[in-house]
Amino acid sequence: DDLDGQLPLITQVIMTTSKFLQEYWFLIIGFLVLGVFWLLKEIATARGRFRLDGLMLRLPLIGSVLQKIATSRLTYTLSLLNTSGVPLLNSIEIAAQTVGNAVMKAALKEIGLAVKQGNTFAGSMRSQGIFPVLAVEMITVGEESGNLSPMLEQVAKTYEAEVRHALNLFISVLEPLIILLLVGGIALMAAAIILPIMNINQLLG
């Protein structure tokens, strides 16, 4: 102030953020508590769970992994039931309870109704537009060739392997990403401290 100088923007941002956190920390905690209560309330209702599960499926990267997990569960259960001689309609109804996603569960109910009306299982899955294209194509081949159970098992193994690969990749990327974030945070703090000192030296010069 005495030298008619200004703090660098990065220093101003960090100081303003720090001041906000010190003065309004209770608001942040309040919003977090409200968010947790809202989430619990949404999960407790069928409509809220449906909305949340639909949102999860639309998330980048995470949605794809969740879709593959649900598909693997579905096809593995269907394969076991079909091999045991359980009728397809009953198998779909039972398998719908294992997918772990309300949106896909609702889609399976629609598929069951379509199959009951004489439509093919694979065609009914395709019409929902929520299941992986590759899984639907593989099931189509299995259904047309009369080898539905082995193909369902193959689909389950394929997507189980893809999920395992995706999780391993995520873990291998997560560690260096955390290190980069920490280094970046430290670098920003250092710059916020060093730049004003350099500016003061220039003003004094």
Side-chain angles (χ1 to χ4, degrees):
D1 289 338
D2 293 339
L3 297 171
D4 293 328
Q6 289 187 345
L7 289 172
L9 178 61
I10 185 173
T11 307
Q12 295 182 40
V13 170
I14 289 179
M15 291 180 66
T16 302
T17 303
S18 176
K19 184 178 180 180
F20 177 82
L21 292 175
Q22 290 177 26
E23 294 183 358
Y24 301 102
W25 57 269
F26 55 91
L27 289 178
I28 298 172
I29 294 177
F31 279 121
L32 289 175
V33 171
L34 288 175
V36 171
F37 274 113
W38 174 81
L39 184 62
L40 293 175
K41 184 180 178 182
E42 285 288 284
I43 293 176
T45 63
R47 183 175 297 179
R49 183 62 184 268
F50 187 88
R51 286 196 297 262
L52 284 176
D53 285 349
L55 176 63
M56 294 295 290
L57 287 176
R58 291 191 295 271
L59 290 176
L61 301 179
I62 297 176
S64 175
V65 173
L66 293 176
Q67 182 193 49
K68 290 175 181 178
I69 291 173
T71 302
S72 178
R73 288 176 179 174
L74 168 66
T75 51
Y76 185 71
T77 304
L78 285 174
S79 175
L80 286 176
L81 293 171
N82 200 260
T83 302
S84 303
V86 179
L88 182 58
L89 284 173
N90 298 103
S91 298
I92 295 172
E93 184 177 347
I94 296 171
Q97 309 301 321
T98 67
V99 292
N101 185 282
V103 176
M104 299 184 82
K105 182 179 178 180
L108 283 168
K109 289 184 178 179
E110 295 294 328
I111 290 170
L113 292 174
V115 171
K116 191 174 182 178
Q117 293 172 0
N119 296 314
T120 62
F121 176 53
S124 303
M125 288 185 70
R126 186 181 292 107
S127 65
Q128 292 297 317
I130 196 173
F131 297 96
V133 176
L134 176 60
V136 175
E137 294 301 325
M138 292 175 69
I139 292 171
T140 301
V141 173
E143 197 170 22
E144 291 177 350
S145 62
N147 296 312
L148 183 58
S149 294
M151 188 58 74
L152 287 169
E153 184 179 359
Q154 184 60 44
V155 172
K157 290 180 179 178
T158 299
Y159 281 94
E160 184 181 0
E162 287 195 15
V163 169
R164 191 182 299 112
H165 174 72
L167 292 177
N168 290 335
L169 183 62
F170 175 75
I171 293 172
S172 64
V173 171
L174 184 62
E175 184 177 353
L177 181 61
I178 292 175
I179 294 174
L180 284 175
L181 290 175
L182 290 174
V183 171
I186 294 170
L188 287 174
M189 293 294 294
I193 296 171
I194 294 172
L195 287 176
I197 297 174
M198 295 176 62
N199 287 352
I200 289 176
N201 288 333
Q202 291 176 358
L203 290 171
L204 290 173

